[in-house]
């Protein structure tokens, strides 16, 4: 769907993107992660043709980006806003038409979205009379109203209360089901684990990690197991530092070169294995670990 | 192109639909005549209620007899200047004119005392009266009979006629030309400022409310900028047109009420000079109408539209650039300077040079340089401007606005995406140089 190759972009006194290559397959939710100032916004702006790269290519559906592709992309920037004095309806029609929809098509789409999100009664209200969460819903509609095949959402959940965030999350999942590709840029790792199929992590202008969630996680396995033993037959070695609650003993052990089954066999000698689970890091832990390790180079 | 049109449409409708636009558009043509009416009324009632101002005169030469007018009366009741000053201070006299013994060849040392600053008109009145007296005195000394002098004195007004290349004669009137140049110059000045500011406010609104990032993902920054400039310009033109129609209708109605002849009828009289000459009563009105008739209105209106739009586009782009560079209107001040200065120079130049002497070299340059020409040239048009000067000025104006638009476009497309930085001129210069 989206193929980014060797993208470079520098500003006057710093490099925003260094040789960044990404491949976003069709129909996935692709998480774009990275701390502030890493280069995510620059990358997103290049995909949106707001700015131009210094070198490298961006291809959409196998062809280099062209002005016609604006219609195929829906963009919800992190810093977003609406015309405060404009009515909801007029505003949505304006944004839809700027994306290239005809007047009739724009009206039809907006009508169905307003009904879908159960906010049809707001159509003649001005944005300044709406709450922040309400305005965010309008903003979301303006992003998807032209049925983009690529949706770029920068921190889409900021400003939403949990109820509305859930509504938007479900809308995103439904769009994905209908074949829309979504790039989700966020710091909120819990939404990454819930929503994303694939991720790429950017730090200090470089891509430092990418792959499916499962791949990323397995490559960051510390090879440590969480173990619970019951009905101890022998004394446990001192270095295991086990805590007991009644006759249940909890502790962690690294593989230290053994295969998991070997470790399990060893454990069975000491008692009944109640729990034997590999410790898998959360995306948040990977994120923090990666950012720290690449920032101190 | 289609997207620019959408922006123009939004900018236009969102402003024209506002109640404030409707109110301003409908009230302004009423307010201006109303304010002027109030001034005229105050001036007239002041004149009526004005008590005669008595001015004490001590004339040590015994040569001057000051003639009293409707406003000022002259008396000579005391001989001691200190006593006269006392009278002024106590309010018995409005002022005190002291004429010491003077040398007629070099009259120095005449003084006027008052408790308040004398008005320009009073000083002018006194000076011209004394001047005439001294001249009379000199002529008398040369042996000319005062009676003869009185007979010589004649009131005269000159009718100015310019000759065209084909020898056609055109009646001129400096007052009419002055008024036309004055009004059209001021209109362009006000228009550029008012609507230029609206452009700037609009850009700042889109930037500070972060709408702009969404907009530029749908269209090019340049399209957005041009759409805004043209849309707001269209609002201005609409407002202007409504004013012209309203004022036209109002004045026609007022003239009708006052029982004056309709302009068309006047025009018919003018077309038939014998008829006009046959009614000498209408002489003065006819002269003014003759003058108005003599003005090349096609050129005037055409030029007005060109300079109106050209000046607006030239400055509009600069206003947009300033708006894009800052986060809030209060930060805009520092960049307003280079925009306001040429406008004010043009405005001052209009009064100091252009309207005083439309053919002076200062007037020429002011009306050629694109930054000042929209205002300055309008001051010259009604006096008649050689074709090549007009063509040069308009050509440069077009180049000028292409240049400022190009320049502003470069600042704009970077500026609108920059938040939190307070740009300096040095940074703006870098933006202009940056390729992207």
């Amino acid at each position: 769907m989206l193929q980014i190759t060797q993208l470079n972009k520098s500003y006057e006194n710093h490099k925003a993107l260094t040789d960044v290559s990404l491949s976003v397959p069709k129909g996935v939710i692709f998480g774009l992660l990275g701390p502030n100032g890493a280069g995510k916004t620059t990358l997103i702006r290049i995909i949106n043709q707001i700015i131009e790269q210094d070198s490298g290519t961006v291809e959409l559906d196998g062809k280099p980006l062209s002005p016609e592709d604006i219609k195929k992309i829906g963009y919800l920037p992190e810093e977003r806003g609406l015309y405060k004095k404009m009515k909801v309806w007029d505003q949505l029609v304006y944004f839809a038409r700027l994306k290239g929809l005809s007047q009739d098509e724009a009206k039809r789409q907006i009508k169905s979205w307003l009904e879908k999100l159960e906010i049809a009664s707001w159509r003649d209200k001005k944005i300044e009379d709406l709450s922040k969460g309400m305005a965010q819903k309008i903003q979301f509609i303006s992003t998807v109203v032209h049925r983009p095949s690529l949706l770029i959402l920068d921190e889409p959940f900021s400003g939403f209360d949990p109820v509305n965030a859930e509504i938007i999350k479900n809308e995103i999942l439904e769009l994905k089901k209908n074949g829309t590709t979504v790039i989700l840029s966020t710091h909120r790792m819990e939404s990454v684990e819930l929503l994303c199929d694939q991720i790429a992590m950017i730090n200090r202008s470089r891509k430092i990690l990418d792959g499916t969630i499962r791949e990323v996680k397995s490559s960051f396995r510390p090879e440590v197991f969480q173990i619970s033993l019951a009905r101890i037959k022998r004394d446990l070695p001192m270095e295991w530092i086990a805590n007991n609650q009644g006759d249940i003993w909890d502790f962690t052990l690294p593989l230290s070169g053994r295969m998991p089954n070997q470790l399990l066999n060893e454990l069975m000698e000491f008692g009944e294995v109640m729990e034997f689970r590999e410790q898998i890091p959360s995306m948040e832990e990977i994120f923090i670990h990666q950012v720290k390790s690449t920032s101190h180079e | 192109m289609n997207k620019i049109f959408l922006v123009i449409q939004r900018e236009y409708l969102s402003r024209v639909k506002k109640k404030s636009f409707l109110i301003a558009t409908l009230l302004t043509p009423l307010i201006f005549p109303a304010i002027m009416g109030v001034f005229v009324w105050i001036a007239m009632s002041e004149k009526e209620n004005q008590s005669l101002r008595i001015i004490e005169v001590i004339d040590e030469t015994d040569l001057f007899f000051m003639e009293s007018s409707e406003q000022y009366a002259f008396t000579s009741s005391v001989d001691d200047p200190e006593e006269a000053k006392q009278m002024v201070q106590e309010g018995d006299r409005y002022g005190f004119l002291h004429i010491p013994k003077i040398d007629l060849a070099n009259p120095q040392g005449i003084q006027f005392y008052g408790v308040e600053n004398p008005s320009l008109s009073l000083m002018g009145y006194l000076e011209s009266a004394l001047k005439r007296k001294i001249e009379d005195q000199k002529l008398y000394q040369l042996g000319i009979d005062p009676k003869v002098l009185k007979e010589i004195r004649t009131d005269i007004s000159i009718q100015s006629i310019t000759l065209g290349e084909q020898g056609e004669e055109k009646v001129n009137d400096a007052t009419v030309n002055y008024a036309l140049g004055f009004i059209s110059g001021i209109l362009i000045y006000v228009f550029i400022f008012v609507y230029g500011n609206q452009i700037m406010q609009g850009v700042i609104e889109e930037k500070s409310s972060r709408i702009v990032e969404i907009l530029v993902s749908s269209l090019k920054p340049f399209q957005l900028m041009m759409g805004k400039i043209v849309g707001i310009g269209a609002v201005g033109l609409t407002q202007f047109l409504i004013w012209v129609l309203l004022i036209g209708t109002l004045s026609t109605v007022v003239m009708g009420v006052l029982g004056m002849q309709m302009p068309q009828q006047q025009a018919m009289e003018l077309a038939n000079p014998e008829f006009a000459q046959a009614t000498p009563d209408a002489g003065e009105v006819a002269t003014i109408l003759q003058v108005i008739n003599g003005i090349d209105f096609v050129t005037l209106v055409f030029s007005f539209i060109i300079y109106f739009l050209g000046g607006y586009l030239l400055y509009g782009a600069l206003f947009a650039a300033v708006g894009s560079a800052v986060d809030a209107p209060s930060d805009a001040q520092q960049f307003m300077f280079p925009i306001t200065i040429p406008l004010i120079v043009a405005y001052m130049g209009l009064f100091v040079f252009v309207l005083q002497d439309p053919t002076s070299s200062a007037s020429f340059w002011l009306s050629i340089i694109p930054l000042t020409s929209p205002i300055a040239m309008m001051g010259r048009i009604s006096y008649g401007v050689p074709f090549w000067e007009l063509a040069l000025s308009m050509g440069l104006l077009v180049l000028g606005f292409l240049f400022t638009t190009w320049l502003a476009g470069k600042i704009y497309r970077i500026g609108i995406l920059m938040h939190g930085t307070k740009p300096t001129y040095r940074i703006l210069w870098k933006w202009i140089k940056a390729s992207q």
Side-chain angles (χ1 to χ4, degrees):
Chain A
M1 173 81 193
L2 184 71
Q3 188 71 44
I4 293 167
T5 320
Q6 294 286 308
L7 212 55
N8 279 283
K9 171 79 190 172
S10 4
Y11 294 114
E12 194 199 324
N13 39 24
H14 77 283
K15 193 107 202 236
L17 293 174
T18 311
D19 293 334
V20 172
S21 298
L22 284 179
S23 177
V24 182
K26 191 171 164 54
V28 301
I29 299 183
F30 190 94
L32 190 60
L33 317 179
N36 288 327
K40 283 177 300 176
T41 305
T42 301
L43 178 59
I44 289 173
R45 281 180 176 172
I46 290 173
I47 300 171
N48 275 300
Q49 302 178 63
I50 294 172
I51 53 178
E52 251 174 59
Q53 64 266 39
D54 298 338
S55 66
T57 56
V58 181
E59 288 182 356
L60 190 65
D61 295 330
K63 280 173 289 184
L65 276 184
S66 72
E68 283 78 62
D69 291 328
I70 281 172
K71 202 183 166 180
K72 294 188 197 160
I73 301 176
Y75 175 38
L76 184 68
E78 180 176 8
E79 302 277 10
R80 49 200 175 232
L82 297 161
Y83 290 104
K84 291 189 181 62
K85 304 257 177 217
M86 236 176 143
K87 286 177 183 164
V88 167
W89 178 263
D90 294 343
Q91 189 136 220
L92 287 171
V93 170
Y94 179 56
F95 284 129
R97 297 210 60 203
L98 279 183
K99 279 287 184 186
L101 288 194
S102 70
Q103 179 101 13
D104 291 344
E105 180 67 9
K107 286 182 177 168
R108 202 161 41 238
Q109 290 293 334
I110 293 162
K111 201 157 176 263
S112 83
W113 270 104
L114 287 176
E115 280 162 8
K116 195 169 181 194
L117 295 180
E118 296 170 345
I119 51 176
S121 60
W122 300 355
R123 60 173 278 173
D124 288 325
K125 282 195 177 159
K126 287 183 181 169
I127 296 297
E128 59 186 355
D129 300 329
L130 300 181
S131 73
K132 199 176 170 207
M134 292 157 109
Q136 292 278 46
K137 276 191 181 174
I138 305 299
Q139 193 101 56
F140 181 77
I141 295 177
S142 77
T143 311
V144 297
V145 68
H146 57 291
R147 297 167 167 271
S149 55
L150 176 63
L151 196 57
I152 300 174
L153 308 172
D154 199 349
E155 295 294 351
F157 303 111
S158 70
F160 277 112
D161 58 69
V163 178
N164 281 319
E166 187 67 19
I167 293 172
I168 296 302
K169 194 189 92 188
N170 290 334
E171 290 302 333
I172 294 172
L173 287 172
E174 199 184 319
L175 285 166
K176 177 199 163 188
K177 210 162 66 189
N178 296 334
T180 309
T181 310
V182 182
I183 294 178
L184 188 71
S185 166
T186 183
H187 307 294
R188 298 192 10 173
M189 294 303 145
E190 68 276 16
S191 55
V192 173
E193 294 199 43
L194 271 170
L195 285 169
C196 295
D197 306 297
Q198 287 195 23
I199 61 145
M201 202 179 281
I202 293 179
N203 191 32
R204 305 180 117 204
S205 86
R206 291 169 193 276
K207 184 181 77 177
I208 52 173
L209 189 69
D210 71 344
T212 63
I213 295 261
R214 184 180 287 274
E215 282 165 2
V216 168
K217 282 194 165 183
S218 62
S219 68
F220 278 87
R221 280 197 314 225
E223 306 202 311
V224 172
F225 281 75
Q226 175 74 43
I227 297 152
S228 294
L229 289 184
R231 292 192 283 282
I232 302 291
K233 293 183 264 184
R234 295 160 48 179
D235 278 349
L236 304 176
M238 283 297 283
E239 65 269 24
W240 287 8
I241 319 170
N243 292 316
N244 69 314
Q245 280 191 340
D247 58 347
I248 307 275
W249 292 76
D250 296 318
F251 52 97
T252 57
L253 276 187
L255 278 180
S256 314
R258 290 164 285 197
M259 295 303 286
N261 273 356
Q262 279 179 307
L263 180 63
L264 188 58
N265 277 330
E266 266 177 52
L267 289 168
M268 280 153 66
E269 316 242 314
F270 288 92
E272 206 73 32
V273 178
M274 306 301 288
E275 189 183 354
F276 182 73
R277 183 170 52 85
E278 186 174 13
Q279 277 193 343
I280 295 180
S282 67
M283 283 309 297
E284 181 137 21
E285 284 161 338
I286 296 174
F287 178 80
I288 292 167
H289 173 260
Q290 277 303 97
V291 167
K292 276 188 178 160
S293 65
T294 52
S295 296
H296 290 301
E297 276 166 7
Chain B
M1 225 30 231
N2 192 22
K3 287 183 180 177
I4 292 191
F5 180 72
L6 283 171
V7 178
I8 294 173
Q9 198 181 29
R10 194 205 82 85
E11 297 295 335
Y12 183 81
L13 290 178
S14 70
R15 285 181 172 76
V16 170
K17 277 183 184 168
K18 270 192 209 159
K19 279 194 200 82
S20 55
F21 174 84
L22 192 72
I23 292 168
T25 307
L26 293 182
L27 286 190
T28 312
L30 301 177
I31 284 175
F32 270 110
I35 290 174
M36 274 160 68
V38 169
F39 273 123
V40 169
W41 180 75
I42 289 174
M44 279 170 67
S45 58
E46 198 161 75
K47 212 163 198 174
E48 273 173 23
N49 300 337
Q50 215 165 35
S51 56
L52 197 64
R53 287 175 170 168
I54 306 168
I55 294 169
E56 184 70 27
V57 181
I58 296 182
D59 177 9
E60 293 173 15
T61 59
D62 270 338
L63 290 173
F64 301 99
F65 171 71
M66 302 296 291
E67 284 157 36
S68 299
S69 72
E70 280 177 30
Q71 254 186 302
Y72 304 107
F74 298 93
T75 66
S76 297
S77 51
V78 293
D79 290 329
D80 179 15
E82 291 310 315
E83 221 173 302
K85 286 181 198 168
Q86 187 81 24
M87 290 168 84
V88 172
Q89 267 178 335
E90 282 164 6
D92 290 341
R93 296 286 184 268
Y94 174 74
F96 158 45
L97 181 69
H98 185 210
I99 307 169
K101 285 212 183 316
I102 49 169
D103 173 12
L104 281 185
N106 182 22
Q108 297 282 337
I110 300 172
Q111 283 165 320
F112 180 84
Y113 298 87
V115 283
E116 53 189 78
N117 273 334
S119 67
L120 269 182
S121 68
L122 170 60
M123 291 311 278
Y125 178 81
L126 290 176
E127 277 169 9
S128 66
L130 287 170
K131 189 177 158 203
R132 202 153 125 192
K133 293 282 177 199
I134 291 173
E135 282 167 2
D136 285 358
Q137 201 59 40
K138 283 180 179 170
L139 288 168
Y140 178 70
Q141 281 171 358
L142 290 169
I144 294 168
D145 186 347
K147 276 181 198 154
V148 178
L149 269 180
K150 209 164 198 177
E151 272 170 35
I152 293 173
R153 204 150 275 147
T154 328
D155 278 331
I156 187 165
S157 75
I158 299 174
Q159 194 178 35
S160 147
I161 293 160
T162 46
L163 288 172
E165 278 167 30
Q166 271 79 48
E168 69 269 23
E169 294 182 10
K170 206 167 80 179
V171 181
N172 258 322
D173 185 276
T175 321
V176 175
N177 288 334
Y178 190 97
L180 283 173
F182 173 88
I183 292 169
S184 48
I186 298 278
L187 269 178
I188 290 180
Y189 175 80
V190 170
F191 185 82
I192 289 174
F193 253 114
V194 169
Y195 287 95
N197 255 306
Q198 286 213 22
I199 295 174
M200 192 177 79
Q201 301 291 348
V203 172
I204 293 175
E205 183 206 350
E206 279 172 0
K207 186 184 172 185
S208 62
S209 64
R210 316 292 167 115
I211 303 164
V212 76
E213 180 117 12
I214 296 168
L215 292 173
V216 291
S217 71
S218 307
L219 76 172
K220 291 204 159 47
F222 190 76
Q223 294 177 309
L224 184 60
M225 187 180 89
M226 281 321 286
K228 187 170 277 292
I229 293 172
V230 174
I232 292 175
V235 175
L237 277 180
T238 307
Q239 194 161 48
F240 184 70
L241 259 169
I242 295 175
W243 286 348
V244 168
L245 286 176
L246 274 181
I247 292 173
T249 318
L250 275 180
S251 47
T252 311
V253 168
V254 168
M255 277 161 86
V257 168
L258 292 179
M260 278 180 70
Q261 285 161 300
M262 292 298 138
Q264 289 94 326
Q265 288 169 284
Q266 296 277 1
M268 280 169 65
E269 281 177 21
L270 282 168
N272 187 352
E274 281 170 41
F275 179 62
Q277 277 163 9
T279 52
D281 285 350
E284 207 170 312
V285 180
T287 311
I288 290 178
L289 285 167
Q290 212 176 341
V291 170
I292 291 174
N293 207 41
I295 289 168
D296 185 354
F297 270 102
V298 177
T299 311
L300 186 72
V301 170
F302 175 74
S303 312
F304 182 77
I305 292 172
I306 295 280
Y307 284 107
F308 194 74
L309 293 179
Y312 168 77
L313 290 174
L314 183 127
Y315 280 99
L318 294 177
F319 275 102
V322 170
S324 74
V326 300
D327 286 342
S330 54
D331 298 336
Q333 283 310 318
Q334 56 162 332
F335 297 119
M336 287 306 292
F337 194 66
I339 299 181
T340 359
I341 290 301
L343 274 174
I344 288 174
V345 165
Y347 181 78
M348 302 295 280
L350 177 69
F351 289 98
V352 178
F353 299 111
V354 180
L355 291 175
Q356 303 301 331
D357 184 1
T359 50
S360 70
S361 62
S363 306
F364 172 78
W365 287 112
L366 282 172
S367 61
I368 293 296
I369 296 168
L371 284 170
T372 52
S373 66
I375 295 164
M377 188 57 103
M378 284 322 294
R380 295 182 59 195
I381 295 280
S382 54
Y383 291 96
V385 178
F387 176 76
W388 71 269
E389 282 186 29
L390 208 54
L392 176 66
S393 165
M394 286 180 180
L396 285 177
L397 184 63
V398 170
L399 287 182
F401 86 68
L402 289 177
F403 174 74
T404 57
T405 309
W406 170 82
L407 191 77
K410 295 210 133 206
I411 295 176
Y412 183 86
R413 83 197 157 156
I414 296 180
I416 45 170
L417 296 174
M418 291 281 171
H419 291 286
T421 48
K422 284 223 165 145
T424 59
Y425 282 108
R426 204 169 59 84
I427 292 176
L428 289 194
W429 178 239
K430 277 185 183 150
W431 291 356
I432 292 169
K433 284 194 301 181
S435 59
Q436 178 65 44

mmCIF file of all heavy atoms in Angstrom, chain A residues 82-96:
data_model
loop_
_atom_site.group_PDB
_atom_site.id
_atom_site.type_symbol
_atom_site.label_atom_id
_atom_site.label_comp_id
_atom_site.label_asym_id
_atom_site.label_seq_id
_atom_site.Cartn_x
_atom_site.Cartn_y
_atom_site.Cartn_z
ATOM 1 N N LEU A 82 -10.791 23.552 14.207
ATOM 2 C CA LEU A 82 -11.883 23.807 13.265
ATOM 3 C C LEU A 82 -12.175 25.309 13.314
ATOM 4 O O LEU A 82 -11.779 26.001 14.244
ATOM 5 C CB LEU A 82 -13.127 23.018 13.680
ATOM 6 C CG LEU A 82 -12.983 21.497 13.674
ATOM 7 C CD1 LEU A 82 -14.077 20.874 14.527
ATOM 8 C CD2 LEU A 82 -13.043 20.957 12.263
ATOM 9 N N TYR A 83 -12.880 25.774 12.302
ATOM 10 C CA TYR A 83 -13.304 27.178 12.325
ATOM 11 C C TYR A 83 -14.374 27.346 13.384
ATOM 12 O O TYR A 83 -15.456 26.770 13.286
ATOM 13 C CB TYR A 83 -13.859 27.589 10.967
ATOM 14 C CG TYR A 83 -12.814 27.674 9.887
ATOM 15 C CD1 TYR A 83 -12.696 26.695 8.931
ATOM 16 C CD2 TYR A 83 -11.942 28.759 9.835
ATOM 17 C CE1 TYR A 83 -11.737 26.780 7.929
ATOM 18 C CE2 TYR A 83 -10.979 28.850 8.855
ATOM 19 C CZ TYR A 83 -10.889 27.859 7.905
ATOM 20 O OH TYR A 83 -9.946 27.948 6.930
ATOM 21 N N LYS A 84 -14.058 28.163 14.402
ATOM 22 C CA LYS A 84 -14.970 28.265 15.544
ATOM 23 C C LYS A 84 -16.307 28.858 15.174
ATOM 24 O O LYS A 84 -17.333 28.510 15.730
ATOM 25 C CB LYS A 84 -14.326 29.134 16.629
ATOM 26 C CG LYS A 84 -13.136 28.463 17.267
ATOM 27 C CD LYS A 84 -12.666 29.239 18.482
ATOM 28 C CE LYS A 84 -11.455 28.574 19.103
ATOM 29 N NZ LYS A 84 -10.317 28.537 18.162
ATOM 30 N N LYS A 85 -16.301 29.773 14.226
ATOM 31 C CA LYS A 85 -17.543 30.500 13.919
ATOM 32 C C LYS A 85 -18.355 29.813 12.824
ATOM 33 O O LYS A 85 -19.386 30.317 12.417
ATOM 34 C CB LYS A 85 -17.213 31.921 13.454
ATOM 35 C CG LYS A 85 -16.375 32.696 14.434
ATOM 36 C CD LYS A 85 -17.217 33.689 15.193
ATOM 37 C CE LYS A 85 -16.381 34.408 16.215
ATOM 38 N NZ LYS A 85 -17.126 34.662 17.443
ATOM 39 N N MET A 86 -17.846 28.696 12.329
ATOM 40 C CA MET A 86 -18.545 28.066 11.212
ATOM 41 C C MET A 86 -19.457 26.961 11.732
ATOM 42 O O MET A 86 -19.142 26.311 12.725
ATOM 43 C CB MET A 86 -17.500 27.464 10.273
ATOM 44 C CG MET A 86 -17.591 27.934 8.853
ATOM 45 S SD MET A 86 -16.230 27.234 7.932
ATOM 46 C CE MET A 86 -17.052 26.939 6.379
ATOM 47 N N LYS A 87 -20.554 26.769 11.024
ATOM 48 C CA LYS A 87 -21.472 25.717 11.435
ATOM 49 C C LYS A 87 -20.900 24.348 11.086
ATOM 50 O O LYS A 87 -20.172 24.202 10.100
ATOM 51 C CB LYS A 87 -22.816 25.901 10.744
ATOM 52 C CG LYS A 87 -23.598 27.046 11.342
ATOM 53 C CD LYS A 87 -24.896 27.254 10.600
ATOM 54 C CE LYS A 87 -25.631 28.454 11.178
ATOM 55 N NZ LYS A 87 -26.680 28.918 10.280
ATOM 56 N N VAL A 88 -21.263 23.365 11.904
ATOM 57 C CA VAL A 88 -20.767 21.995 11.729
ATOM 58 C C VAL A 88 -20.928 21.542 10.282
ATOM 59 O O VAL A 88 -19.993 21.074 9.646
ATOM 60 C CB VAL A 88 -21.527 21.049 12.679
ATOM 61 C CG1 VAL A 88 -21.265 19.602 12.309
ATOM 62 C CG2 VAL A 88 -21.102 21.314 14.129
ATOM 63 N N TRP A 89 -22.126 21.709 9.773
ATOM 64 C CA TRP A 89 -22.442 21.202 8.439
ATOM 65 C C TRP A 89 -21.570 21.887 7.376
ATOM 66 O O TRP A 89 -20.922 21.236 6.563
ATOM 67 C CB TRP A 89 -23.928 21.414 8.161
ATOM 68 C CG TRP A 89 -24.366 20.973 6.811
ATOM 69 C CD1 TRP A 89 -24.516 21.754 5.711
ATOM 70 C CD2 TRP A 89 -24.683 19.636 6.401
ATOM 71 N NE1 TRP A 89 -24.918 21.001 4.647
ATOM 72 C CE2 TRP A 89 -25.031 19.691 5.041
ATOM 73 C CE3 TRP A 89 -24.714 18.402 7.058
ATOM 74 C CZ2 TRP A 89 -25.401 18.563 4.322
ATOM 75 C CZ3 TRP A 89 -25.089 17.280 6.337
ATOM 76 C CH2 TRP A 89 -25.424 17.361 4.985
ATOM 77 N N ASP A 90 -21.550 23.234 7.409
ATOM 78 C CA ASP A 90 -20.784 23.992 6.405
ATOM 79 C C ASP A 90 -19.318 23.602 6.437
ATOM 80 O O ASP A 90 -18.658 23.472 5.409
ATOM 81 C CB ASP A 90 -20.907 25.497 6.672
ATOM 82 C CG ASP A 90 -22.327 25.989 6.473
ATOM 83 O OD1 ASP A 90 -23.096 25.251 5.843
ATOM 84 O OD2 ASP A 90 -22.654 27.083 6.958
ATOM 85 N N GLN A 91 -18.851 23.434 7.658
ATOM 86 C CA GLN A 91 -17.438 23.109 7.845
ATOM 87 C C GLN A 91 -17.092 21.749 7.236
ATOM 88 O O GLN A 91 -16.099 21.611 6.519
ATOM 89 C CB GLN A 91 -17.172 23.089 9.340
ATOM 90 C CG GLN A 91 -15.751 22.976 9.711
ATOM 91 C CD GLN A 91 -15.417 23.946 10.824
ATOM 92 O OE1 GLN A 91 -14.377 24.555 10.813
ATOM 93 N NE2 GLN A 91 -16.279 24.117 11.778
ATOM 94 N N LEU A 92 -17.948 20.765 7.512
ATOM 95 C CA LEU A 92 -17.692 19.426 6.986
ATOM 96 C C LEU A 92 -17.773 19.416 5.458
ATOM 97 O O LEU A 92 -16.961 18.787 4.783
ATOM 98 C CB LEU A 92 -18.678 18.425 7.593
ATOM 99 C CG LEU A 92 -18.400 18.075 9.061
ATOM 100 C CD1 LEU A 92 -19.536 17.255 9.650
ATOM 101 C CD2 LEU A 92 -17.083 17.317 9.206
ATOM 102 N N VAL A 93 -18.730 20.163 4.923
ATOM 103 C CA VAL A 93 -18.849 20.231 3.463
ATOM 104 C C VAL A 93 -17.583 20.860 2.878
ATOM 105 O O VAL A 93 -17.033 20.374 1.886
ATOM 106 C CB VAL A 93 -20.104 21.041 3.052
ATOM 107 C CG1 VAL A 93 -20.096 21.310 1.548
ATOM 108 C CG2 VAL A 93 -21.372 20.301 3.441
ATOM 109 N N TYR A 94 -17.116 21.912 3.543
ATOM 110 C CA TYR A 94 -15.917 22.597 3.048
ATOM 111 C C TYR A 94 -14.720 21.655 3.011
ATOM 112 O O TYR A 94 -14.036 21.530 1.988
ATOM 113 C CB TYR A 94 -15.634 23.794 3.953
ATOM 114 C CG TYR A 94 -14.407 24.611 3.591
ATOM 115 C CD1 TYR A 94 -14.269 25.166 2.315
ATOM 116 C CD2 TYR A 94 -13.407 24.851 4.530
ATOM 117 C CE1 TYR A 94 -13.161 25.929 1.995
ATOM 118 C CE2 TYR A 94 -12.295 25.614 4.212
ATOM 119 C CZ TYR A 94 -12.176 26.153 2.948
ATOM 120 O OH TYR A 94 -11.079 26.910 2.637
ATOM 121 N N PHE A 95 -14.459 20.965 4.110
ATOM 122 C CA PHE A 95 -13.294 20.078 4.154
ATOM 123 C C PHE A 95 -13.440 18.933 3.156
ATOM 124 O O PHE A 95 -12.480 18.542 2.493
ATOM 125 C CB PHE A 95 -13.093 19.519 5.568
ATOM 126 C CG PHE A 95 -12.493 20.518 6.513
ATOM 127 C CD1 PHE A 95 -13.076 20.777 7.744
ATOM 128 C CD2 PHE A 95 -11.334 21.200 6.170
ATOM 129 C CE1 PHE A 95 -12.525 21.713 8.612
ATOM 130 C CE2 PHE A 95 -10.770 22.131 7.032
ATOM 131 C CZ PHE A 95 -11.373 22.382 8.252
ATOM 132 N N ALA A 96 -14.671 18.398 3.042
ATOM 133 C CA ALA A 96 -14.881 17.291 2.111
ATOM 134 C C ALA A 96 -14.641 17.748 0.680
ATOM 135 O O ALA A 96 -14.016 17.058 -0.128
ATOM 136 C CB ALA A 96 -16.301 16.741 2.266
#
